[in-house]
């Protein structure tokens, strides 16, 4: 239960809702709320909680507590497939929808789309932890080249050429810029940052008011 409790709180810290955690971990919502409340009242950072010994976690959260349902055979079927599904989800063109359709063909009496997505999300959160980073206005910018090359038709010659697409994003506001790749990478990066940074600052100042 100690590992399960840590996973529950980790999912909550990553933004998963009470209802989703309740369904995914086969717990009542009141039990999940109890653990979340005790976690918030403890003031212990998630990184510190995950490194604590089992005895200390049980002391803070008062033992296993709550009502737990015995996992059904219907739940155990997709759980055995989750590692494979999570690995395939990183491949190009693979989506939760396509994985669910494949699952339903093999298990027509299995979970519906919503429950399938919850289990897959829980597994990915627990097996692939995601760190939280604080971003500040006009402080950072991420750049990359997006996916497949696009095709551009020359208006004069009619020639079709493949081009790479440059994408930049300011992580604090999610302002995003997209344009065709230029040989002057530093130049277009600087231009986007100079254009978007003041907009980001103004947006955040309005929110603070």
């Amino acid at each position: 239960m100690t590992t399960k409790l840590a996973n529950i709180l980790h999912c909550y810290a990553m933004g998963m809702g009470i209802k989703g955690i309740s369904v995914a971990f086969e717990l009542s919502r009141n039990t999940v709320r109890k653990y979340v409340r005790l976690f918030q009242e403890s003031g212990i950072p998630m990184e510190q909680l995950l490194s604590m010994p089992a005895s200390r976690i049980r002391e803070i959260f008062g033992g296993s507590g709550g009502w737990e349902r015995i996992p059904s055979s219907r739940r155990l079927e997709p759980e055995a497939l989750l590692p494979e599904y999570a690995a395939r989800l990183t491949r190009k063109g693979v989506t939760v929808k396509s994985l669910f359709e494949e699952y339903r063909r093999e298990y027509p009496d299995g979970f519906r789309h919503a429950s399938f997505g919850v289990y897959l999300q829980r597994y990915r959160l627990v097996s692939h932890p995601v760190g939280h980073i604080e971003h500040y206005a006009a402080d950072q910018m991420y750049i990359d080249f997006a996916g497949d090359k696009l095709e551009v038709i020359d208006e004069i010659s009619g020639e079709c050429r493949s081009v790479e697409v440059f994408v930049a994003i300011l992580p604090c506001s999610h302002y995003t810029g997209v344009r065709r790749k230029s040989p002057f990478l530093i130049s277009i990066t600087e231009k986007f940052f100079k254009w978007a940074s003041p907009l980001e600052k103004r947006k955040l100042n309005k929110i603070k008011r």
Side-chain angles (χ1 to χ4, degrees):
M1 179 60 193
T2 304
T3 302
K4 183 176 182 179
L5 174 57
N7 289 337
I8 289 169
L9 296 175
H10 185 218
C11 288
Y12 175 78
M14 291 297 104
M16 197 170 181
I18 298 293
K19 181 179 179 180
I21 294 173
S22 172
V23 173
F25 286 90
E26 298 285 346
L27 291 170
S28 69
R29 295 186 196 180
N30 285 337
T31 299
V32 177
R33 290 192 185 98
K34 169 192 170 185
Y35 292 148
V36 170
R37 176 177 55 78
L38 291 172
F39 169 62
Q40 293 172 336
E41 291 175 353
S42 71
I44 301 172
M46 179 55 63
E47 295 79 7
Q48 183 179 342
L49 181 69
L50 294 175
S51 64
M52 282 183 174
S55 58
R56 176 57 177 153
I57 294 179
R58 281 195 297 268
E59 180 184 337
I60 296 173
F61 294 93
S64 56
W67 169 66
E68 289 188 59
R69 290 169 282 180
I70 299 174
S72 64
S73 59
R74 192 174 72 156
R75 173 188 168 185
L76 295 175
E77 287 173 352
E79 280 196 343
L81 302 171
L82 289 177
E84 178 192 348
Y85 285 159
R88 289 171 56 192
L89 200 56
T90 61
R91 299 176 189 171
K92 180 180 174 182
V94 179
T95 64
V96 174
K97 182 180 178 181
S98 66
L99 290 174
F100 171 72
E101 291 172 349
E102 177 186 322
Y103 163 75
R104 286 290 281 185
R105 285 194 296 269
E106 189 172 351
Y107 301 96
D109 297 325
F111 285 111
R112 295 184 180 274
H113 186 272
S115 297
F116 178 86
V118 167
Y119 280 111
L120 185 56
Q121 180 190 26
R122 186 201 73 176
Y123 177 82
R124 296 184 71 201
L125 283 171
V126 172
S127 59
H128 300 87
V130 178
H132 177 74
I133 302 175
E134 292 288 341
H135 296 290
Y136 302 95
D139 180 62
Q140 292 179 327
M141 179 172 71
Y142 298 151
I143 66 172
D144 201 352
F145 295 103
D148 294 333
K149 293 183 178 180
L150 300 181
E151 293 185 342
V152 177
I153 299 177
D154 190 291
E155 295 181 356
I156 299 176
S157 66
E159 177 187 2
C160 184
R161 294 178 297 156
S162 296
V163 297
E164 292 190 48
V165 179
F166 169 84
V167 178
I169 182 170
L170 299 181
C172 183
S173 63
H174 293 176
Y175 276 130
T176 306
V178 181
R179 64 165 296 168
R180 200 178 87 181
K181 180 183 176 182
S182 165
F184 307 105
L185 176 61
I186 296 178
S187 175
I188 61 173
T189 302
E190 289 180 342
K191 286 180 180 178
F192 173 74
F193 192 74
K194 288 179 180 178
W195 170 79
S197 294
L199 295 177
E200 183 174 59
K201 287 182 177 179
R202 286 201 294 270
K203 177 182 177 180
L204 295 179
N205 285 336
K206 289 181 180 178
I207 294 175
K208 290 178 180 178
R209 290 173 192 169

